[in-house]
Amino acid sequence: MPTTDPQTTTTEPALARSAGEDDLGAALDTFLSLRTRLVRIAYRILGDVTGAEDVVQEAWLRWQLTQRAEVDNPTAFLVTTTTRLAIKVVRSARHRHEVPVEPQLAGFGDRAAPDPVLSVERSVAVDGALALLMARLTPDRLAAYVLRKGFGYGYAELASLLRISAPNARVVVHRAQARLESGRERPVPVESHRRLAAAFRTAARTGNLDGLVKVLAPAA
């Protein structure tokens, strides 16, 4: 009789540890399968490799502490977590002092048809970058910045669109970059953000910028 109870008390914790280890192992497998994708998403928002790696590491810590049994879609959870963490870093005072803030819009204008995963990654990164730009830039600076950085508009083209001189168009883009580093933000209407993000993705996919220009500069 005395030999049975110790076996029971020592076996149950061992089984519990094994189950926990298996669960964490599965969580790690899920994370590692998505890690490269998560780094790309963070980099597109931050434009900084080291910062992107730090964000993904934080996402892993959040994933460990999450009640994973309640997560229906681990991929969506990790992508969303990474995106939110990257945007939070961009907005933090520490990041503003250490790394120039300039959301990565270049490359989204590539019209080559991406694979579905890359398409989702780009959409997530575009939404995050545009939300940040809308929160910090006035309409004219937003238009100048997005068209210049995202689609390579020349200063003469921006000048015609904004009805200013080419030298002033250059100043508008420069001031937009400076304003991004100030960190002051205004609320972004959900519908306005949705409309701009959709127009941006259409322009990037088709090469036709008419719809995007109408959203950015409706009076043009």
Side-chain angles (χ1 to χ4, degrees):
M1 186 70 66
T3 59
T4 303
D5 290 339
Q7 287 178 352
T8 302
T9 55
T10 57
T11 301
E12 289 179 348
L15 289 173
R17 284 196 302 271
S18 177
E21 290 169 1
D22 288 347
D23 177 63
L24 187 59
L28 179 60
D29 289 342
T30 299
F31 174 79
L32 291 178
S33 71
L34 294 168
R35 188 179 184 285
T36 299
R37 177 178 175 184
L38 299 177
V39 170
R40 285 202 301 263
I41 290 172
Y43 177 76
R44 286 185 180 278
I45 296 173
L46 296 173
D48 174 59
V49 174
T50 301
E53 293 280 358
D54 290 343
V55 162
V56 172
Q57 182 61 28
E58 178 64 23
W60 162 238
L61 294 176
R62 300 275 180 103
W63 181 230
Q64 290 183 72
L65 298 174
T66 295
Q67 296 296 323
R68 293 181 295 275
E70 300 176 4
V71 177
D72 293 330
N73 189 332
T75 298
F77 175 90
L78 286 167
V79 167
T80 300
T81 299
T82 299
T83 302
R84 289 176 177 171
L85 288 171
I87 293 174
K88 182 179 179 180
V89 169
V90 170
R91 289 174 169 168
S92 71
R94 177 185 64 79
H95 183 80
R96 290 198 305 271
H97 291 306
E98 293 179 4
V99 182
V101 176
E102 188 167 343
Q104 300 299 293
L105 295 180
F108 290 118
D110 181 4
R111 294 171 216 166
D115 62 69
V117 171
L118 182 57
S119 179
V120 171
E121 291 172 5
R122 288 183 173 182
S123 293
V124 169
V126 163
D127 288 355
L130 291 177
L132 178 65
L133 294 174
M134 293 179 74
R136 294 190 179 181
L137 301 181
T138 58
D140 60 333
R141 292 176 183 175
L142 176 66
Y145 187 92
V146 170
L147 293 173
R148 175 68 180 174
K149 298 296 185 178
F151 297 92
Y153 257 52
Y155 290 112
E157 293 176 288
L158 293 177
S160 176
L161 179 68
L162 301 176
R163 299 175 183 176
I164 57 179
S165 67
N168 281 345
R170 186 184 296 272
V171 170
V172 169
V173 173
H174 177 73
R175 287 179 177 173
Q177 291 175 306
R179 181 67 175 78
L180 286 173
E181 297 179 17
S182 72
R184 292 170 297 184
E185 299 181 0
R186 65 177 66 83
V188 177
V190 174
E191 180 59 25
S192 297
H193 175 255
R194 185 199 63 77
R195 189 164 56 248
L196 177 57
F200 188 101
R201 286 193 290 268
T202 297
R205 186 178 68 253
T206 66
N208 186 336
L209 274 62
D210 290 347
L212 178 62
V213 169
K214 287 179 181 178
V215 171
L216 288 169

